Amino acid sequence: MHSLWQGKAPIYEALLKYKSMRVVPFDVPGHKQGRGNPELTEFLGEKCLSVDVNSMKPLDNLVHPVSVIKEAEELAADAFGAQHAFFMVNGTTAAVQAMIMSVCKQGDKIIMPRNVHRSAINALIISGAIPVYVNPGVNKQLGIPLGMSVAEVKKAIEENPDAKAIFVNNPTYYGICSDLKTITELAHRHNMYVLADEAHGTHFYFGVNMPVSAMAAGADMSAVSMHKTGGSLTQSSFLLKNGRLSTGHVRQTINLTQTTSGSYLLLSSLDISRRNLALDGKSIFKKVSSLAHYAREEINKIGGYYAFSTELINGDSVFDFDHTKLSVYTREIGLAGIEVYDILRDDYGIQIELGDIGNILAIISVGDRELALERLVSSLSEIKRLYMKDKAGMLDHEYINPDVVMTPQRAFYSDQHSVAITDSTGYVCGEFVMSYPPGIPILAPGERITEEIIDYITYSKAKGCFLTGTEDLSVQNIKIVEES
């Protein structure tokens, strides 16, 4: 019975019905099922443009769902084990911001690790909430931030008993999970909400032998990037909700920033992908796991590279590890991750997810094939042979503890002026600096700029990282807060 129920895809089915009715459109979008834009229709296909439609009674309305979108939300909630699921078309960014803004208003504290995605700190700029950062542990060898240890979270709760919520990455970009269940129990005992950023954790809900998902751990809300590992179109996402929060209040918060013209291309891709994962997720992610395992073993045989995995688990700051993330430490061969990333793309025609100072990350998902992974492994082997050099002089850390001087909102909206980054030591930063991907800030508004941070930015630029966030697109200058 259950799988029959999950075999439905209400939005997709409504669109098929709409197409069969051969409706004459006198509504938006103005391309009128593609007829007004032949180049675009040729590029994307008539099938695609014919269902790029506006909300109407037979197709429901994302802002206020009462029929097919409502039914699709119920199916998604059931598939993810949540009380409610919201369809998000402004990316997981909008889901993260809606989570934070629905529980935190101006002046409210939220406990979070500093290695959050920029969308979480942006939510603080919009809402005026105050971050209480729990510094994640750091793996000194790999130079990567880990999860939050339970003791650190406990300490933050004791020092900030008035905090409204705890925000947790599940997993981090590198696949590292905190002890979400214990953190959730701890938070709930202190009457705090738990919000999970599961941008990289869709498969936790459907795979076997995966780290615990936020909904299973009892978290209050979770932002799930269905498009990253679940097969839906880029920018489509779910916001899942459990328990105490009012569904209507969360929807109103989402509607503060989410478009009123929800894309039916994105909505139907979520609907179809949810159906696929609910019916076949176990076998899909079993294949993903075995591909990742194969690639990891082969890369570790090359020597010089270290494709890390579950051996990092220490029961606390690395409570669990997402083995589908193919993270590879490259510094032993004398190359920064970003250098390997660039060589793979430019010389081998292989595009991986990210390269940073010490590591590369390849995302393995539902669409990968063994042949492609063999090509990645052989390319890494050849890169080692051709480019390996002495690792002297390499910078060895990804995470710098921030010195938070003022709230992100106050800093962002304060009077500022621009100085050269090289001359900015000691000032308070008024904007972001981050390497994208992963989009985790090196500096966020309201943080003190130090020599160590400037060295890190300079080194990242020299190695070829794509730095973003500053008003100055060349990232030579930085806006600093004019302190009175």
Side-chain angles (χ1 to χ4, degrees), residues 101 104-108 120-131 133 404 406-416 429-430 432 444-447 481:
M101 286 157 57
C104 293
K105 54 184 190 299
Q106 188 154 14
D108 286 347
I121 299 176
N122 282 344
L124 307 181
I125 291 173
I126 297 166
S127 67
I130 300 166
Y133 290 123
V404 182
M406 59 177 74
T407 68
Q409 186 182 62
R410 192 177 142 216
F412 186 82
Y413 288 112
S414 62
D415 291 333
Q416 304 176 355
C429 186
F432 286 100
E447 294 175 2
V481 173

Side-chain angles (χ1 to χ4, degrees), residues 251-412:
R251 187 172 321 273
Q252 286 181 326
T253 307
I254 291 169
N255 288 342
L256 289 174
T257 52
Q258 177 152 280
T259 176
T260 52
S261 313
S263 161
Y264 278 88
L265 302 178
L266 299 181
L267 294 173
S268 59
S269 83
L270 282 170
D271 201 23
I272 293 166
S273 304
R274 180 273 313 152
R275 181 175 72 176
N276 290 346
L277 294 187
L279 297 179
D280 203 23
K282 273 195 178 67
S283 67
I284 287 170
F285 291 119
K286 191 175 174 192
K287 181 188 156 204
V288 170
S289 292
S290 74
L291 286 174
H293 181 67
Y294 159 78
R296 189 174 282 115
E297 286 207 316
E298 293 300 309
I299 290 167
N300 282 335
K301 279 182 201 160
I302 297 169
Y305 295 108
Y306 172 33
F308 50 90
S309 182
T310 49
E311 72 282 352
L312 297 183
I313 292 174
N314 60 19
D316 194 21
S317 58
V318 188
F319 183 75
D320 209 342
F321 186 84
D322 173 10
H323 56 263
T324 70
K325 298 276 182 295
L326 186 59
S327 306
V328 185
Y329 175 69
T330 62
R331 276 211 351 262
E332 287 298 314
I333 63 165
L335 293 176
I338 187 67
E339 293 174 303
V340 177
Y341 169 98
D342 284 340
I343 296 165
L344 278 170
R345 186 193 55 243
D346 297 343
D347 298 356
Y348 294 89
I350 294 174
Q351 179 62 53
I352 56 170
E353 174 69 12
L354 89 107
D356 56 34
I357 282 178
N359 304 275
I360 57 171
L361 171 67
I363 298 278
I364 314 292
S365 73
V366 13
D368 282 300
R369 302 182 314 282
E370 199 159 319
L371 202 66
L373 283 161
E374 283 169 11
R375 192 170 148 190
L376 174 64
V377 172
S378 61
S379 302
L380 287 172
S381 179
E382 199 169 296
I383 288 170
K384 180 195 166 188
R385 192 167 55 78
L386 297 175
Y387 296 96
M388 185 164 176
K389 57 181 193 278
D390 184 20
K391 62 174 185 172
M394 295 191 76
L395 208 62
D396 65 349
H397 55 272
E398 294 296 341
Y399 178 76
I400 298 167
N401 281 344
D403 176 12
V404 182
V405 184
M406 59 177 74
T407 68
Q409 186 182 62
R410 192 177 142 216
F412 186 82

